[in-house]
Amino acid sequence: MKYRSTRRASPEVGLSDALTAGLAPDGGLYVPVSVPRVDTKALALLSNGVEVAQELLAPFFEGDPLREHLAEICAEAYELPLPIEPLASKDDYVVELFHGPTAAFKDFGARFLAAALSHVPRDDQRALTILVATSGDTGAAVASAFHRRQGFRVVVLYPDNRVSPRQAHQLGCFGDNVTAVRLHGSFDDCQRLVKEALADADLQSRIPLTSANSISIGRFLPQIAYYGIVALEFFRRSGGKLNLVIPTGNLGNALAAVYAREMRLPIGEIALATNANDVLPRFFDGEAYEPKESVSTLANAMDVGTPSNFERLRYLFPDERELRRSLFAFAVSDEAIRETIKSRYVRYREFFCPHTATAVHTLERLRSKGFTGDWAVVATAHPAKFESIVEPLTNSVDVPDTLATLLARESSAVPLENDYSAFRALLLSGA
Ligand SMILES: *Cc1c(COP(=O)(O)O)cnc(C)c1O
């Protein structure tokens, strides 16, 4: 399998090169040149998630030296539980993607990327520094995945005082080869500093750098596989297709579900749930695509005004009418997020994080409009990670063991002014 840029102005590359590069040289995003088709009935005979992931991802690894390590990579990335649980409301399910070490779905992508990058041969003997700008969840997942991994160092930048207290604790609790930096600035400022460092040739010659941002193909591919595992599990149980409501910011997670469906996995409708950042709902309602500045909401990991993976979706459906038919989308206000968390607790004793609550609210709307069939909301983070929002509306949320382990560790972050030369000096100091 070759990978080409969505902008078609860079050469096609193999998987290893696409993984290490992150962004294509023309500024586009790497996509596989074709979408492999699978045989659902044959795949459904495999009962083990790791094996399903291997089968689904094998075509994407074909022709690349990483192919011989696929089994090991999948064993690392998919050993996490991936349950589909019934909700209290009839014919509704929840797919829980939050059983990884940092309690959000990004653990799958980060662990897969880390495992894959460990097998890409490098001539350079120096450690590779992974830079991550994070609004909360990505940074912890990447830090956890690369923590104590030979040959890597991680520098995570997050906006001070704009992540939840538990997110901040997680980011700072790794130590060793991981440095957490709390920036006096916004998430956009964090991204700007990372971009500037990646474009700084002199700096790159002194310390080899790469990024692990959400547009990396190494984080996108593994998400296809978990949708495959879940859809096949549901197919084995029910013989039918599962419809999904997916909380969406940059459209990475949801696009993976679209790819899984294009591969002919048993997935039916896909509905996106956004927070008040409503660029996608407007587009799928028939308006023009108009990226905007993001606004802050309770579902902070989805505060995105320019969903970066839209470019990949448009590549997949070059025909505008087909594109608009591929998905539908609803925006959910902070008020509705709060109301949903509260009412599901009062009625059913169910707990949801603010991101997942956008999907629950959307599913309630779809049901009230008369949508039938089996639907699952995709739970992107554990509610305990956002206890400062959830607990005032419910009761205390049980903390999963994995999260409790991280919260029990000491945590510290390096403060930094919003200034590139200060960031550069920090990177060069080896901190
Ligand atoms: C990152 C994140 C999202 C948004 O995912 P995208 O792939 O950017 O659409 C939703 N919920 C949580 C908890 C996240 O961490």
Side-chain angles (χ1 to χ4, degrees), residues 221-293:
L221 295 178
Q223 295 174 177
I224 299 177
Y226 62 60
Y227 281 112
I229 295 171
V230 164
L232 288 164
E233 166 70 23
F234 191 78
F235 179 79
R236 270 193 295 272
R237 285 193 214 167
S238 72
K241 287 184 180 178
L242 188 59
N243 304 292
L244 297 167
V245 189
I246 307 181
T248 298
N250 260 324
L251 198 54
N253 191 15
L255 183 71
V258 174
Y259 259 81
R261 186 174 63 185
E262 292 300 301
M263 290 171 75
R264 302 289 186 263
L265 284 154
I267 295 171
E269 298 285 352
I270 300 172
L272 310 179
T274 72
N275 55 27
N277 293 282
D278 60 358
V279 177
L280 293 168
R282 282 173 182 276
F283 173 77
F284 287 103
D285 277 350
E287 292 179 36
Y289 179 68
E290 264 179 43
K292 291 192 272 201
E293 282 285 294

Side-chain angles (χ1 to χ4, degrees), residues 7 24 34 53 116 151 166 171 191 211 279 290 367-368 394 396 404 431:
R7 302 191 186 167
S34 63
R166 282 188 181 159
L171 288 162
Q191 276 192 307
S211 73
V279 177
E290 264 179 43
R367 290 298 194 196
S368 73
T394 60
S396 65

Side-chain angles (χ1 to χ4, degrees), residues 104-106 137 247-254 301-302 353 355 380-381 386:
F105 80 88
K106 293 187 174 82
D137 286 340
T248 298
N250 260 324
L251 198 54
N253 191 15
M302 292 156 47
C353 88
H355 311 82
T380 48
F386 297 91

